[in-house]
Amino acid sequence: MTLIHVGGDTSEPQVFGDLLDGERALPQRVEVTLTASHLTLTPGEGASQDWPLSQLRSQPDQAHPSDLMLSLAGDPVTRLVVRDREMVRKIEAAAKSLGKRPPTQNTGRLLGWSVAAVASVALIIFVLVPAMANQLATFLPPSGEKALGDTTFEQIRNALDDSGFDPVPICESTAGSAALAKMEARLTENLDLPYPLTVRVLDHSMINAFALPGGYVVFFDGLLDVAQDPDEIAGVFAHEIGHVVARDPSRMALRSAGSNGVLGLLFGDFAGGAVVLFLAERLIQANYSQTAEMNADIFASETLEKAGISPLGLAQMFERFRELGGTTPDLLEHFMAHPDLMSRIERAEASASAAPFTPSLTDVEWQALKTICD
């Protein structure tokens, strides 16, 4: 039978608790006495201890949740277990700071390590991975790029499928394909390409076009729908060929895969599924660096002029997007990756007015390309 002893009144039963001081292998039995300001712990032998009520803190006890496990603020080791229900109730009523958590120790050091960890990840993702991607893209063999492009293209077709059953169809009408091949031949006649182009039109309403590793240039039917002139498509085509020649898609693919591989290791995507999906999305968006975009613009203007096609077409396409209004189309976001859009439009317009040009396609061929997905 336990006995309570409060305020020197020996007529009340006393209460005992188990003291774990971190030194003894077994808990020490102590008498627990509650006063107005402190909790006194009196062992069978040795001096008693006074624990101020303001310094008492409760600790979780998974083994016996109905017991009260106490500690002193600032003492990470010593624990007192009180099992008497009445004493537990009195302590909880008297000690107002039981639930107060101690301040975190070494916060400055923890903050420093956290900042260092974030900085390390940022260094890997934004400095080391891009540098390695540029080097790998230089040494990646054409067959490797083509295989990467094939895989990514099929992934994109499946990701854009709304039905969930079949990938987005490739548009291949005979007349439309012939018109697209003619445009490709005019644009590439004077070019030294690292590998043959693979040009595809996908039956999807997205207003976009993009390049993939290994020589892929992909158009969406939505882009053909909004274009009103074959030279507009030729301008976009030439720009994407510029990315192919510079191997920008391979650099982006390697960079995205490397960055997301690091993040996958940190957050548990060991299978790499999120990496593949993100890579496909990034290549559709085609947000290359400002330098890569500017070089592709310059390449497009020079290629169009050499092919005898008006560079005005690309400028007209930008104006077409402006006329659409509302949400910025994906392709416009692609070209808006750098700030001097208007100056490039003005340069294209000036170039177009200074020399004679022949339309990239005849009216009949243009209609065939417009309806390639019909």
Side-chain angles (χ1 to χ4, degrees), residues 47-355:
S48 62
Q49 302 179 37
D50 288 332
W51 285 20
L53 296 182
S54 61
Q55 298 297 309
L56 293 183
R57 301 290 185 267
S58 63
Q59 301 294 331
D61 186 357
Q62 300 296 334
H64 303 282
S66 62
D67 299 345
L68 177 62
M69 180 179 287
L70 298 172
S71 66
L72 277 177
D75 186 341
V77 176
T78 307
R79 298 289 186 268
L80 173 68
V81 180
V82 180
R83 296 184 172 87
D84 185 89
R85 297 294 182 85
E86 182 64 17
M87 178 60 79
V88 168
R89 185 187 63 79
K90 290 182 177 181
I91 293 174
E92 290 177 342
K96 305 300 183 182
S97 301
L98 280 182
K100 185 177 180 181
R101 296 298 94 189
T104 304
Q105 301 296 317
N106 298 320
T107 54
R109 180 178 297 179
L110 290 175
L111 180 60
W113 280 109
S114 299
V115 171
V118 173
S120 298
V121 174
L123 177 66
I124 293 172
I125 292 176
F126 297 110
V127 178
L128 297 181
V129 169
M132 292 177 64
N134 288 337
Q135 291 297 321
L136 289 174
T138 302
F139 294 106
L140 188 64
S143 59
E145 286 192 74
K146 184 61 166 58
L148 179 59
D150 291 340
T151 302
T152 308
F153 179 65
E154 293 305 319
Q155 179 66 40
I156 289 171
R157 291 182 62 201
N158 284 284
L160 293 175
D161 172 46
D162 295 327
S163 68
F165 297 102
D166 298 304
V168 173
I170 299 173
C171 303
E172 297 178 298
S173 74
T174 302
S177 298
L180 189 60
K182 175 184 176 180
M183 183 181 290
E184 176 188 347
R186 287 192 63 180
L187 291 172
T188 60
E189 182 180 3
N190 298 309
L191 297 180
D192 183 17
L193 296 173
Y195 23 59
L197 294 181
T198 301
V199 186
R200 296 287 185 263
V201 178
L202 293 180
D203 190 5
H204 195 281
S205 61
M206 185 184 296
I207 304 173
N208 203 352
F210 57 91
L212 293 177
Y216 272 89
V217 175
V218 182
F219 295 93
F220 287 108
D221 188 43
L223 180 66
L224 299 177
D225 286 341
V226 300
Q228 298 183 14
D229 186 297
D231 291 353
E232 295 177 6
I233 298 299
V236 175
F237 201 163
H239 182 97
E240 298 303 335
I241 294 174
H243 284 308
V244 169
V245 171
R247 306 178 86 171
D248 292 328
S250 297
R251 299 176 198 277
M252 173 175 282
L254 292 171
R255 176 174 179 173
S256 297
S259 299
N260 285 278
V262 172
L263 296 177
L265 290 175
L266 292 176
F267 297 107
D269 181 31
F270 298 106
V275 175
V276 176
L277 291 176
F278 184 79
L279 172 59
E281 179 184 352
R282 286 293 303 276
L283 287 169
I284 292 176
Q285 294 292 338
N287 290 320
Y288 302 113
S289 69
Q290 293 187 11
T291 301
E293 288 291 355
M294 181 59 68
N295 289 338
D297 289 338
I298 295 172
F299 179 92
S301 295
E302 294 176 349
T303 299
L304 290 167
E305 290 189 36
K306 291 178 181 178
I309 301 172
S310 173
L312 182 60
L314 187 56
Q316 290 174 334
M317 182 60 85
F318 284 126
E319 295 299 335
R320 192 82 58 234
F321 291 136
R322 290 187 186 279
E323 293 169 3
L324 292 176
T327 305
T328 305
D330 294 329
L331 183 61
L332 184 56
E333 290 181 353
H334 166 125
F335 286 104
M336 284 291 285
H338 40 93
D340 61 341
L341 173 62
M342 291 308 300
S343 65
R344 286 180 292 124
I345 292 177
E346 292 170 359
R347 286 197 300 270
E349 291 174 341
S351 175
S353 63

